Amino acid sequence: MNMVFLCFTIGILGFIVGRKAIPKDKDLKWIDKLLMVLVVALLFILGAEIGSDENIVSSIGSIGLVSLTLAVFALAGSAAMVTVARKALGIDKRGKKSR
């Protein structure tokens, strides 16, 4: 629980700094490259951590099956709820009112 709180706190602090401290008129294209490098480094470290854990490596097949099942049901549920909400609001597939 403490780790979740820490992650949310860091995210909120980053949002506040980005919103208040960084000028809007500055051209900060280098931040995109820095973020990409950091995301790649984070993914590499996460992969190394997962690869070094024997419990995870030995059960990778069942983890993959559970992940696939969750992804399929999440997509199906999202599509179903969008359809229900669209019909309830009277919106067609193009986003226009059908009434």
Side-chain angles (χ1 to χ4, degrees), residues 80-93 98-99:
M81 291 310 296
V82 165
T83 302
V84 168
R86 196 179 69 232
K87 289 188 184 220
L89 295 172
I91 299 173
D92 66 7
K93 290 183 181 179
S98 60
R99 294 181 189 176

Side-chain angles (χ1 to χ4, degrees), residues 27-90:
D27 188 21
L28 301 173
K29 292 186 179 189
W30 59 271
I31 288 182
D32 289 338
K33 293 177 183 174
L34 176 65
L35 285 175
M36 182 57 74
V37 168
L38 292 174
V39 167
V40 168
L42 181 63
L43 287 172
F44 177 78
I45 292 169
L46 182 63
E49 177 97 16
I50 289 171
S52 67
D53 190 344
E54 284 299 321
N55 292 332
I56 293 176
V57 172
S58 64
S59 62
I60 198 81
S62 63
I63 291 172
L65 184 61
V66 169
S67 299
L68 178 66
T69 305
L70 286 173
V72 167
F73 279 106
L75 286 170
S78 294
M81 291 310 296
V82 165
T83 302
V84 168
R86 196 179 69 232
K87 289 188 184 220
L89 295 172

